Amino acid sequence: MEQLRSWIKERYPVPVAVYSTPAAEALLATAGLCVVDFLRPLCLVNQLSVPMRVGEFSCRVQELQLGLYPGHSMYQPKPEVIDESLTQVLSVQAHRHAKLQALPDLVHYVQSESPEAVNPWYFKYQHRFVRLLKFTDHETLDHPVAGLFVMPADTSHPLQVAAKLLAPEQQLPLHATDSMLPIKDPMFAKHFVLLQDKAAGMEDGKALSNLATLSNTYGTANCSILKLYSSSNKGGAGAAAAAVTASGAVPAAVFQACRSAVVPGGGAGGCSTCVLRH
């Protein structure tokens, strides 16, 4: 049961769309990251105690795993793109794991070895297959329940920037099909994040002023400041590049483990700063 719970948590986190300005993306670009890459390690919300009831079943939610995706890539690729991507996965895995020698006792081998040893290609294929079928009109598990709207903390006109992020042309393809709530619908949760890069000299006064401006319009609970410390070092994704606190640079592996590349042609919730690997 615990293994099934972990599998469901990994495959079906609560989806959240991230809309960010080019200026916000530029703050992380020197590290080879996008805004989503930076936020994904922060997606486990714990220490909760929220009652929930569905029909006759009731429980208490103690933690919540969020799945962050760039809003512009939350759509399913075309069928031919999916077929090509899956074919490439099989081709790469075949070259990597194929063995020419015959097995003397196939039944004994299958029964005695782990599934990973018997079919080392399958889990890679399964992961890609499940991912490429996300974000369809009918599969509401993949529809975002909220949006994060990200801009630099020193933005000159935060309300105008927020309005642009909320504009119809920024909406997901799913919004256009009427298969989910419109982005401006009050039931679609929205949170505005001001990225304050202390290393770039962003002043607290400006950040707090912009926070107050946004809070007056969208509510105090729906706006916040997230501080980071960027670096001009180009040592790869996350290498001494970003930290939430002043305790030092976050190890690169923290970000790399959470990255998700965009497929050729776009879509499936990937970030364009990450190269798709098979």
Side-chain angles (χ1 to χ4, degrees):
M1 180 61 70
E2 188 59 36
Q3 185 177 8
L4 177 61
R5 188 192 304 272
S6 299
W7 187 88
I8 293 176
K9 184 185 296 185
E10 178 185 355
R11 293 297 191 277
Y12 299 104
V14 179
V16 176
V18 178
Y19 304 86
S20 54
T21 66
E25 294 290 347
L27 294 177
L28 283 307
T30 56
L33 300 173
C34 67
V35 169
V36 172
D37 293 332
F38 178 63
L39 295 176
R40 273 182 177 150
L42 310 175
C43 285
L44 179 61
V45 183
N46 51 22
Q47 297 182 351
L48 299 174
S49 182
V50 181
M52 184 178 70
R53 185 178 182 87
V54 180
E56 298 298 321
F57 177 76
S58 61
C59 66
R60 188 168 292 273
V61 178
Q62 296 180 332
E63 67 175 34
L64 196 63
Q65 180 70 46
L66 304 179
L68 301 189
Y69 306 95
H72 61 81
S73 69
M74 293 185 74
Y75 63 91
Q76 188 180 101
K78 295 180 179 180
E80 56 269 25
V81 174
I82 295 177
D83 289 342
E84 180 181 357
S85 181
L86 293 175
T87 300
Q88 289 177 348
V89 170
L90 290 178
S91 178
V92 170
Q93 296 301 313
H95 283 85
R96 184 174 300 167
H97 300 290
K99 298 179 180 179
L100 298 180
Q101 65 270 27
L103 293 172
D105 190 342
L106 179 59
V107 174
H108 174 74
Y109 177 75
V110 171
Q111 292 176 345
S112 60
E113 297 293 334
S114 66
E116 292 84 356
V118 175
N119 294 309
W121 57 271
Y122 175 73
F123 295 97
K124 187 77 173 180
Y125 181 88
Q126 180 196 52
H127 182 272
R128 182 67 57 81
F129 182 85
V130 171
R131 178 193 165 187
L132 291 176
L133 294 184
K134 283 181 173 289
F135 311 125
T136 58
D137 296 350
H138 64 275
E139 186 52 85
T140 57
L141 283 174
D142 300 326
H143 293 186
V145 299
L148 281 177
F149 303 87
V150 186
M151 66 186 80
D154 61 353
T155 298
S156 298
H157 305 286
L159 290 180
Q160 294 181 17
V161 173
K164 290 181 179 179
L165 291 176
L166 292 168
E169 57 267 21
Q170 299 292 335
Q171 296 187 20
L172 305 175
L174 292 172
H175 285 119
T177 62
D178 295 328
S179 59
M180 61 173 292
L181 291 173
I183 198 170
K184 289 188 176 182
D185 192 293
M187 294 296 293
F188 185 75
K190 293 174 279 290
H191 193 88
F192 296 86
V193 179
L194 293 167
L195 285 182
Q196 184 181 4
D197 188 356
K198 300 291 289 185
M202 292 187 182
E203 299 179 354
D204 291 339
K206 180 66 172 179
L208 291 173
S209 175
N210 283 340
L211 179 64
T213 299
L214 289 173
S215 298
N216 288 336
T217 300
Y218 298 105
T220 303
N222 300 321
C223 307
S224 60
I225 295 174
L226 179 59
K227 296 182 180 180
L228 63 94
Y229 301 78
S230 69
S231 168
S232 59
N233 297 330
K234 298 181 179 180
V244 180
T245 69
S247 58
V250 175
V254 172
F255 297 102
Q256 291 169 344
C258 300
R259 307 184 79 202
S260 182
V262 67
V263 299
C271 183
S272 59
T273 62
C274 185
V275 178
L276 188 68
R277 303 186 186 278
H278 302 289

